[in-house]
Amino acid sequence: MEKPPLPNDDDTAVTPESQLGCLAGEDSGISVGLGNVWRFPYLCHQNGGGAFLLLYVLLMILVGIPLFFLELAAGQSIRQGSIGVWKHISPKLAGIGYSSCVVCFFVALYYNVIISWSLFYLGNSFQYPLPWKECPEHGNTTVEECVASSPTTYFWFRKALNITDSIDNTGEFNHVITCCLLAAWTIVCLGMFKGIKSSAKVMYFSSVFPYVVLLCFLIRGLMLDGAAEGIKYMFYPKLEIWGEVQVWRQAATQVFFALGLGFGSVIAYSSYNPRSNNCHRDALTVSTINFLTSVLATLVVFAVLGFRAREVAMRCVKDNLEKLSEQFSVGPLDRDLLPSFNISDPSSVPLEAYRDWFKGHGAKVPGNLTDCSLEEEMNKGVEGTGLAFIAFTEAMTLFPGSPFWSALFFLMLLNLGLSTMFGTMEGILTPLTDNFKVLKRHKTMLTVCSCVVGFLIGMLFTQRCGNYFVMMFDDYSATLPLIIVVVFECFSVSWVYGADRFLDDIEKMLHWRPPVVYKYLWKYVCLLAMLGLLGASLLKMCFKRPTYTAWNRETASEVTLDYPDWALGVLAVLIIFATLPVPLGYIHSILRNRTRRNSIGSGLGTDMGGVYTKCSTVECDTPVAALLDEHLERNGIPKDSPSPLAEENLRLLPQREGAEDIDDSTSV
């Protein structure tokens, strides 16, 4: 059935133009959110900078935009959430929608943990100097773990997370982060009480505010010494990294995360759009804005990483020149080995000048001098989920009035996180309330229960080892099922329903036909690319044990460790649980249709008092129009669609609904 327009504050119907504007804000919240500022920069740094950027653009064009357009068009045309859309195309495909809900729930679990981290940092921003500006001291001694890393790194791993050395060492609950997680779920629950109306209002602010903050950080970051080297590293493509399956998988899943593909959120929100809305234009616009936002946030991160790398490299130069001075003071050395710069003032020596001298003479000088490579420091920089927190907090300490900028940034991150969470929760709640009238009547209770369950399960991430579980969910438990869901979505539209037929429906809806290239992208390019990526990822997991990055307290550095057996078991269970609704939905539909065929067949031989109830007059106990409306609503068919059933057959409709459900290809 057609969804009613969104109500405004006066409970009057809004015009299509104002409704579209409201939903434009929603799309911004789904497709431009936490993934752009938090997830994209650390994946770009972890996977070779420019090589990942090029791969991301390629997958965005070939896979992201076509599938984003597909979801927008499907939701806008069929007017249902993710469960209703795929059930409408074929009842056997209803499991795709349920899998989307499960994946949404997995993502909501750990995305809200990131919001809790933002709340923790926001609370620590109202003090001067910022607590991560300098290394703390115990007595008269500076903490060695902080000296060996950096103040911002130490604050992240030791003060915020108080992290253990491995996932096997769970540790106790981090009580501060647990309280922050409770606050995060409370905010989400309150924001979702009025459904899409209240969350739309939040988007108006969160769609503009992040760009102002990011531009301020970018301007300050570009003024830092070493920022140019960091940005050069970001754009320099190391194409050899394309040979690694993990890079392709993470680039593809980032496209899905960035655009909200496979979560059901895009379908849920687009189902409220006017039928005449130009969803093709929306797909191109939102995808472009999404990419530019990711690049903007990544520019800030890499500018700060370049600054950090130069700082470390200059400390390296200083230490080596002090060793060189000691060698010259101990005994005479060949004057040809003496550098042209002033070794007594290390701070005045350019990094490039020292490297040029070291390449020619460093190996000839005793004292174990080392090269000081800025690029190596960029490669060794902080990786993983904490990169954005560490990089941005480093930049904040360099701003005048740093507490103000810190509070502003984490307020921005909080808003982005909440907008993402609202979209994710709509991807769970809308399909369920669209398909279950009981849940629709008690949506407030459903929202509260979902948030309570999310908090209770989310406490897994507030243990001292919780960050390792965040990485597990982000790398495998949410991403692999997401690829599977997108594969089934693409297959359902392009092959089960038919790409040409789907384009015909879009043409009727928009009054113009989209380019035929979408047909081939949906049927072949997107589908084969996702299947190949999924197969390669599963094979790699079978032949090479999955790993994670852990923090070693003794060396104050990150190390790569293998997941233990029990963690792999948890990972496998989560992946199976997320994808299980697809085959279960298919089996359930087949069994239901078989049962209904048998019941209809057994009733054919009975007299009129059996299965069929003949009306003696036109006026039956249940009016024909009401029966038809109930049938159309149950099967997701618009009321204005022409019915192939004759008037006589409509009188037998309640007993024949099973026969009608046998046809799995109802028209959009």
Side-chain angles (χ1 to χ4, degrees):
M1 329 178 26
E2 179 117 355
K3 290 190 176 181
L6 295 176
N8 63 10
D9 291 334
D10 299 325
D11 295 329
T12 57
V14 297
T15 63
E17 290 79 8
S18 61
Q19 183 180 352
L20 180 58
C22 188
L23 289 170
E26 290 293 349
D27 285 339
S28 298
I30 301 168
S31 299
V32 178
L34 198 58
N36 301 90
V37 178
W38 168 74
R39 199 172 190 272
F40 186 90
Y42 95 73
L43 288 177
C44 190
H45 176 262
Q46 182 176 297
N47 295 296
F52 181 84
L53 201 61
L54 285 175
L55 187 58
Y56 180 81
V57 172
L58 177 66
L59 292 176
M60 174 71 79
I61 295 173
L62 295 180
V63 177
I65 294 176
L67 293 178
F68 190 50
F69 176 45
L70 183 149
E71 290 200 1
L72 283 175
Q76 183 173 310
S77 175
I78 301 175
R79 326 295 290 165
Q80 291 286 321
S82 57
I83 297 175
V85 163
W86 307 117
K87 186 177 180 181
H88 184 88
I89 291 176
S90 171
K92 296 175 182 177
L93 302 175
I96 299 176
Y98 290 101
S99 284
S100 292
C101 291
V102 175
V103 173
C104 263
F105 187 67
F106 284 174
V107 173
L109 288 176
Y110 77 91
Y111 258 40
N112 229 16
V113 176
I114 300 164
I115 297 177
S116 70
W117 295 342
S118 302
L119 286 172
F120 174 79
Y121 270 89
L122 180 63
N124 280 276
S125 298
F126 299 99
Q127 49 185 306
Y128 186 82
L130 291 172
W132 52 80
K133 184 175 183 178
E134 297 176 351
C135 288
E137 294 185 356
H138 287 314
N140 295 324
T141 306
T142 306
V143 178
E144 293 184 4
E145 185 181 3
C146 182
V147 174
S149 53
S150 72
T152 52
T153 304
Y154 174 80
F155 186 87
W156 166 250
F157 284 112
R158 193 54 52 212
K159 295 297 183 179
L161 302 181
N162 193 20
I163 200 165
T164 58
D165 289 342
S166 71
I167 196 173
D168 284 316
N169 185 10
T170 57
E172 65 276 8
F173 284 102
N174 187 328
H175 300 294
V176 177
I177 298 298
T178 303
C179 293
C180 290
L181 181 65
L182 177 61
W185 275 110
T186 302
I187 295 171
V188 170
C189 185
L190 294 175
M192 294 299 299
F193 267 159
K194 293 185 179 181
I196 190 171
K197 175 186 171 186
S198 61
S199 57
K201 292 181 179 179
V202 177
M203 305 307 168
Y204 286 124
F205 175 74
S206 62
S207 296
V208 179
F209 178 59
Y211 295 101
V212 177
V213 178
L214 288 175
L215 283 173
C216 292
F217 274 84
L218 178 61
I219 293 171
R220 183 64 183 94
L222 293 176
M223 297 168 60
L224 298 174
D225 188 22
E229 287 83 354
I231 293 175
K232 179 182 176 182
Y233 179 90
M234 171 184 168
F235 286 106
Y236 182 77
K238 300 177 181 177
L239 298 181
E240 62 273 8
I241 203 169
W242 282 20
E244 299 181 16
V245 174
Q246 179 181 355
V247 179
W248 286 82
R249 177 174 58 82
Q250 291 186 336
T253 52
Q254 176 56 25
V255 170
F256 300 158
F257 270 85
L259 295 177
L261 299 177
F263 293 100
S265 308
V266 174
I267 294 176
Y269 280 131
S270 64
S271 67
Y272 292 91
N273 274 339
R275 290 185 64 88
S276 59
N277 176 55
N278 191 341
C279 53
H280 182 259
R281 178 200 59 200
D282 291 348
L284 297 177
T285 303
V286 173
S287 300
T288 302
I289 295 174
N290 173 278
F291 173 69
L292 294 178
T293 306
S294 298
V295 171
L296 176 62
T298 308
L299 280 172
V300 178
V301 171
F302 274 79
V304 176
L305 288 178
F307 166 75
R308 283 170 51 90
R310 178 166 281 275
E311 288 285 299
V312 174
M314 291 307 298
R315 286 201 299 266
C316 171
V317 170
K318 180 181 178 181
D319 294 340
N320 280 286
L321 291 183
E322 289 176 355
K323 294 178 182 179
L324 184 61
S325 297
E326 292 176 1
Q327 292 298 324
F328 276 100
S329 63
V330 170
L333 293 176
D334 188 350
R335 290 296 171 181
D336 293 336
L337 300 179
L338 188 65
S340 59
F341 46 79
N342 184 10
I343 63 175
S344 61
D345 186 13
S347 60
S348 65
V349 179
L351 175 62
E352 293 75 14
Y354 170 79
R355 295 202 67 197
D356 291 339
W357 172 83
F358 180 84
K359 290 177 182 178
H361 308 287
K364 303 174 184 178
V365 179
N368 296 323
L369 301 184
T370 58
D371 188 15
C372 300
S373 172
L374 189 146
E375 184 177 354
E376 287 184 7
E377 294 300 330
M378 285 289 298
N379 289 329
K380 291 192 302 184
V382 180
E383 294 185 359
T385 54
L387 175 64
F389 285 90
I390 295 171
F392 280 106
T393 52
E394 183 94 23
M396 291 166 202
T397 60
L398 306 172
F399 278 54
S402 53
F404 168 77
W405 291 103
S406 178
L408 198 64
F409 171 76
F410 287 110
L411 183 61
M412 177 204 74
L413 205 62
L414 178 63
N415 276 292
L416 284 176
L418 289 175
S419 67
T420 303
M421 278 298 300
F422 289 146
T424 304
M425 292 299 293
E426 282 293 341
I428 301 171
L429 301 177
T430 298
L432 294 177
T433 54
D434 280 350
N435 285 271
F436 299 99
K437 294 182 179 180
V438 175
L439 297 180
K440 189 172 185 176
R441 289 194 298 266
H442 302 88
K443 187 172 182 179
T444 300
M445 182 62 67
L446 174 65
T447 303
V448 173
C449 291
S450 299
C451 293
V452 170
V453 172
F455 168 70
L456 294 176
I457 300 177
M459 291 180 68
L460 169 72
F461 305 104
T462 64
Q463 301 175 96
R464 291 181 58 195
C465 68
N467 188 50
Y468 303 138
F469 285 100
V470 170
M471 286 191 284
M472 176 195 290
F473 271 68
D474 193 53
D475 284 341
Y476 298 101
S477 300
T479 54
L480 285 177
L482 191 61
I483 296 176
I484 296 173
V485 168
V486 173
V487 166
F488 277 110
E489 286 186 0
C490 191
F491 178 79
S492 301
V493 170
S494 58
W495 291 97
V496 176
Y497 188 77
D500 288 317
R501 188 178 174 193
F502 189 63
L503 288 174
D504 291 339
D505 295 330
I506 296 175
E507 183 178 8
K508 293 176 183 177
M509 182 174 64
L510 303 183
H511 307 296
W512 61 273
R513 190 174 185 84
V516 71
V517 67
Y518 283 107
K519 169 185 174 180
Y520 300 102
L521 288 173
W522 290 332
K523 292 188 70 172
Y524 304 108
V525 177
C526 296
L527 190 58
L528 293 178
M530 293 301 97
L531 285 174
L533 185 60
L534 178 63
S537 299
L538 293 176
L539 285 176
K540 184 180 178 182
M541 288 180 63
C542 294
F543 292 105
K544 185 178 180 181
R545 196 179 186 90
T547 60
Y548 67 100
T549 303
W551 177 255
N552 189 302
R553 184 169 188 166
E554 298 298 325
T555 61
S557 62
E558 292 179 310
V559 294
T560 301
L561 302 177
D562 291 335
Y563 278 110
D565 292 336
W566 65 266
L568 293 179
V570 171
L571 190 152
V573 169
L574 291 174
I575 294 175
I576 294 173
F577 184 76
T579 55
L580 199 58
V582 177
L584 288 181
Y586 184 83
I587 295 172
H588 175 264
S589 177
I590 291 177
L591 294 178
R592 184 184 63 181
N593 288 341
R594 183 176 299 172
T595 302
R596 288 183 175 180
R597 283 196 195 98
N598 293 337
S599 63
I600 292 173
S602 61
L604 291 177
T606 63
D607 46 353
M608 295 301 178
V611 176
Y612 294 118
T613 303
K614 186 153 184 155
C615 299
S616 57
T617 64
V618 176
E619 296 181 357
C620 301
D621 293 337
T622 304
V624 172
L627 297 178
L628 176 60
D629 288 347
E630 182 181 352
H631 170 74
L632 294 178
E633 178 179 357
R634 184 174 303 174
N635 290 275
I637 303 173
K639 290 183 180 181
D640 55 356
S641 298
S643 175
L645 302 178
E647 183 68 16
E648 182 67 24
N649 291 334
L650 288 177
R651 296 173 184 170
L652 308 178
L653 194 57
Q655 290 77 21
R656 297 183 60 192
E657 284 183 349
E660 296 300 321
D661 289 338
I662 296 174
D663 182 9
D664 292 340
S665 56
T666 56
S667 173
V668 177

